[in-house]
Amino acid sequence: MRPTTKGVFPAVLTETFADEATQPFWDAALDNRLGAPKCTKCGTFRIPLTPFCFNCQTREIEWIQLPGTGSVYSFTIVRHPLSPGLQLAVPCASGIVELDGTQGSGARMIVNIIECDVDALRIGDKVEIVFEHLAESESKMSVPRFRPIRQK
Ligand SMILES: [Zn+2]
């Protein structure tokens, strides 16, 4: 298990796993890309992947690559460690990020927002995806997280 880092919820506790349907997402994540399932009929993004489109009931999807940026739609700050092992991880931000490139369909991901001042985080803040590569994991997974886009 990795040492706990302030503001980073340990990936080992998220029970991340891939299956046949979600493998394209995890394959892209290993390559630092955000893959997303999109309905081939109506264009609705299905994140998380669903057996059929909630808009038009079509089963078919295509996997496309999103830019990996977005904005904070909502968030909460976890300040209380649920176990003594999480003492160093709190406070951490758990947020809903509205993804850029989803053409107004409002596709969102629930993620840990890292590398931020949790007291300064605001709805609407621009964020970018980063992948934590679990090198020690036998399954070779990469866990997506978002961080604020720094002003240059
Ligand atoms: Zn559809």
Side-chain angles (χ1 to χ4, degrees):
M1 183 174 169
R2 297 179 153 239
T4 304
T5 303
K6 182 68 77 184
V8 179
F9 193 80
V12 69
L13 298 179
T14 59
E15 298 185 36
T16 304
F17 68 96
D19 59 23
E20 187 177 324
T22 61
Q23 192 63 53
F25 173 86
W26 299 110
D27 288 345
L30 281 173
D31 197 29
N32 297 306
R33 293 179 292 110
L34 176 56
K38 181 180 181 182
C39 176
T40 56
K41 184 175 179 185
C42 75
T44 299
F45 284 88
R46 289 158 49 189
I47 304 172
L49 184 60
T50 54
F52 57 88
C53 178
F54 59 83
N55 187 47
C56 75
Q57 290 74 51
T58 296
R59 288 183 150 305
E60 289 74 32
I61 56 165
E62 61 180 329
W63 284 88
I64 66 160
Q65 184 176 333
L66 294 176
T69 55
S71 56
V72 176
Y73 178 80
S74 185
F75 68 94
T76 190
I77 305 301
V78 179
R79 296 184 188 276
H80 179 75
L82 295 177
S83 77
L86 293 174
Q87 186 70 46
L88 293 175
V90 295
C92 64
S94 179
I96 300 173
V97 171
E98 194 155 67
L99 302 169
D100 289 344
T102 54
Q103 300 156 335
S105 63
R108 301 175 185 138
M109 287 177 68
I110 300 173
V111 292
N112 181 195
I113 300 172
I114 63 171
E115 299 176 26
C116 67
D117 173 355
V118 295
D119 294 319
L121 189 63
R122 295 290 180 265
I123 289 172
D125 283 357
K126 296 297 291 178
V127 290
E128 64 186 354
I129 201 164
V130 288
F131 291 95
E132 178 186 355
H133 300 281
L134 306 178
E136 69 272 19
S137 167
E138 291 182 16
S139 58
K140 290 195 69 172
M141 301 289 285
S142 294
V143 176
R145 303 178 193 277
F146 276 78
R147 67 180 174 203
I149 295 176
R150 309 273 183 248
Q151 299 296 326
K152 294 176 181 163

